[in-house]
Amino acid sequence: MSYTLAPKAQNLKPYDPIKGAYRIRLDANESFLLPTPEDRQAMLNEVAGVALNRYPDPLAFELCSDFASLYGISSDYVTAGNGSDELISIIMSTFLQKGEKVLTLSPDFSMYRFYTSITENPCVIFDKSQDMTADIDLIINTAAEQNIRLIIFSNPCNPTSLGIKTGEMRRLIRSTDALVILDEAYMDFWDQSLIMEAHEYDNLILLRTCSKAIGVAGLRIGFAVANSQLTSVLRSAKSPYNVNSVSQAMARIVLKNKLYHTEFINTILDSRNYIMDGLRRLEKNGLITRIYDSCTNFAFIKLNDAGEVFKNLAKNGIIVRNFGNDFLRITAGTQGENSELLRVLENHLKKKGGKTK
Ligand SMILES: *Cc1c(COP(=O)(O)O)cnc(C)c1O
């Protein structure tokens, strides 16, 4: 007898974030700010009181309530996940029947395609135009023509950093029979969220995360916001104790403190703007080809030989994300990190002569 792996499991590779001891990490869109010392102490105090021999609250009721109050919504519409990544996986394996098609955009977050491949649902890729925007009417038509059952994308977009405004988004959701999964992982950095009205649609699940603006990627906390029917499906489909009690207790501290949503976000946006200003100087000097308008905590740029630029930055201890030979994605860092990034980037590009396409 011999066992053969299912074809869909044969070529899987573990998610492989960039490792290595880089001095400056601007690759994963995390916050560069830790919670305040007071809050970190409060977290430790809370954790000391957690009953580790008991299972956590399966619905993370208090955590969901704190999230809901922060955004001014009802916790009836909120489901907590072990990161929004887990929620994407639950959604793919729960809301789709065998053979039903998923539509996602390109470029966008790679995990959408990955989870679709695990459930073996066909995935239709909608390519964005040259300027990296996505025409809403074309998406609506494609979804109708191809009988798409689920549409998933990020807004603002990772990696392009561009955003779609609420009016367009509402039009898309209302013009399709598909379930729309709107990943607002970066919406804390912009003001075009549908979170207040998510429960009014029967075909919308909105995703948020504590991994970016809120600054606790290590705790693995994400949320889905949807109407009661969809919420009830999500709560039933998830594994019972998906969010551990230590993370629940710790995340509540940051969700209860408005500071992370006001001053911290402003500090991160200042950092992003500083990088953008620096990049604009390089663009003006013809050293890079294009900077996309950012609605996020990172910059997305087009330039010649992105792969080589990436390697040169890495050689100097600075790690960013490289997409093909044309694009780099750079997360906002501390003042020192940002200025060093710009200095190394400028030196390298000047040496190369700075001829752009
Ligand atoms: C970072 C990111 C997430 C967050 O995932 P978590 O599992 O909550 O850490 C989700 N979607 C997009 C588009 C992201 O960039």
Side-chain angles (χ1 to χ4, degrees):
M1 304 304 264
S2 87
Y3 170 74
T4 1
L5 277 173
K8 70 170 178 182
Q10 279 173 12
N11 294 311
L12 295 181
K13 304 236 172 2
Y15 185 72
D16 188 20
I18 301 162
K19 290 184 285 275
Y22 294 99
R23 267 180 313 119
I24 299 182
R25 301 211 59 122
L26 305 174
D27 61 313
N29 294 344
E30 298 141 314
S31 172
F32 60 87
L33 297 166
L34 269 172
T36 64
E38 295 74 26
D39 277 353
R40 276 185 279 150
Q41 187 56 53
M43 285 176 171
L44 292 181
N45 297 345
E46 281 299 317
V47 167
V50 169
L52 290 172
N53 58 323
R54 302 294 176 192
Y55 282 112
D57 171 5
L59 290 180
F61 180 80
E62 290 174 315
L63 177 73
C64 289
S65 302
D66 291 337
F67 171 81
S69 339
L70 180 63
Y71 290 95
I73 61 174
S74 160
S75 61
D76 293 349
Y77 308 129
V78 178
T79 308
N82 192 350
S84 44
D85 250 287
E86 186 205 21
L87 294 166
I88 299 167
S89 165
I90 295 169
I91 290 165
M92 293 300 184
S93 54
T94 306
F95 288 90
L96 293 166
Q97 298 277 43
K98 203 171 162 180
E100 288 185 339
K101 287 189 212 163
V102 173
L103 179 76
T104 187
L105 314 183
S106 177
D108 206 324
F109 192 43
S110 60
M111 299 314 281
Y112 308 145
R113 267 193 240 188
F114 170 71
Y115 291 121
T116 311
S117 77
I118 292 290
T119 62
E120 293 188 278
N121 286 91
C123 192
V124 176
I125 310 288
F126 182 99
D127 287 311
K128 295 181 186 177
S129 20
Q130 280 287 313
D131 65 359
M132 292 294 162
T133 60
D135 185 309
I136 295 294
D137 291 303
L138 275 180
I139 297 178
I140 294 170
N141 292 343
T142 308
E145 278 160 17
Q146 304 229 26
N147 193 24
I148 297 294
R149 296 289 294 151
L150 188 149
I151 304 174
I152 183 165
F153 58 94
S154 54
N155 185 47
C157 172
N158 173 14
T160 70
S161 78
L162 298 174
I164 301 169
K165 292 200 168 172
T166 50
E168 288 284 272
M169 199 56 79
R170 291 188 186 109
R171 199 155 63 78
L172 168 63
I173 300 163
R174 292 191 183 121
S175 311
T176 178
D177 292 331
L179 179 64
V180 177
I181 313 301
L182 173 55
D183 185 349
E184 290 192 348
Y186 299 92
M187 194 53 92
D188 292 309
F189 299 111
W190 203 32
D191 60 358
Q192 298 289 310
S193 180
L194 291 190
I195 196 167
M196 302 289 286
E197 62 195 68
H199 64 281
E200 294 168 13
Y201 302 88
D202 65 4
N203 65 331
L204 175 66
I205 300 176
L206 187 148
L207 299 175
R208 301 291 290 237
T209 178
C210 293
S211 301
K212 305 291 155 61
I214 307 281
V216 288
L219 296 183
R220 310 304 304 123
I221 302 281
F223 296 96
V225 186
N227 77 3
S228 306
Q229 187 190 29
L230 297 170
T231 296
S232 149
V233 175
L234 284 169
R235 289 178 180 174
S236 313
K238 71 181 193 61
S239 65
Y241 304 115
N242 59 330
V243 183
N244 74 71
S245 22
V246 172
S247 285
Q248 287 191 33
M250 291 176 91
R252 291 193 62 203
I253 306 283
V254 286
L255 289 172
K256 277 191 287 204
N257 187 348
K258 290 249 189 309
L259 189 72
Y260 304 103
H261 240 229
T262 50
E263 282 171 52
F264 272 51
I265 288 179
N266 287 334
T267 304
I268 296 169
L269 286 176
D270 285 346
S271 156
R272 195 258 340 254
N273 291 340
Y274 177 85
I275 288 192
M276 296 289 280
D277 288 345
L279 292 171
R280 273 190 208 105
R281 281 195 301 275
L282 300 183
E283 186 187 32
K284 220 176 271 159
N285 296 336
L287 296 170
I288 61 182
T289 315
R290 179 159 188 163
I291 304 163
Y292 296 82
D293 289 332
S294 177
C295 303
T296 63
N297 65 333
F298 56 88
F300 189 63
I301 59 173
K302 185 172 189 191
L303 69 175
N304 284 346
D305 300 325
E308 196 203 313
V309 177
F310 170 83
K311 277 189 207 133
N312 181 266
L313 287 170
K315 213 168 44 193
N316 284 278
I318 305 173
I319 199 75
V320 299
R321 268 296 295 273
N322 171 215
F323 295 84
N325 207 35
D326 288 325
F327 302 100
L328 292 180
R329 191 193 69 191
I330 305 163
T331 309
T334 64
Q335 186 65 50
E337 292 172 336
N338 295 343
S339 28
E340 189 164 344
L341 165 97
L342 290 168
R343 189 173 53 74
V344 173
L345 189 60
E346 181 165 3
N347 283 345
H348 175 76
L349 292 172
K350 273 188 176 153
K351 231 184 289 165
K352 291 279 139 191
K355 269 276 151 275
T356 58
K357 278 176 201 155

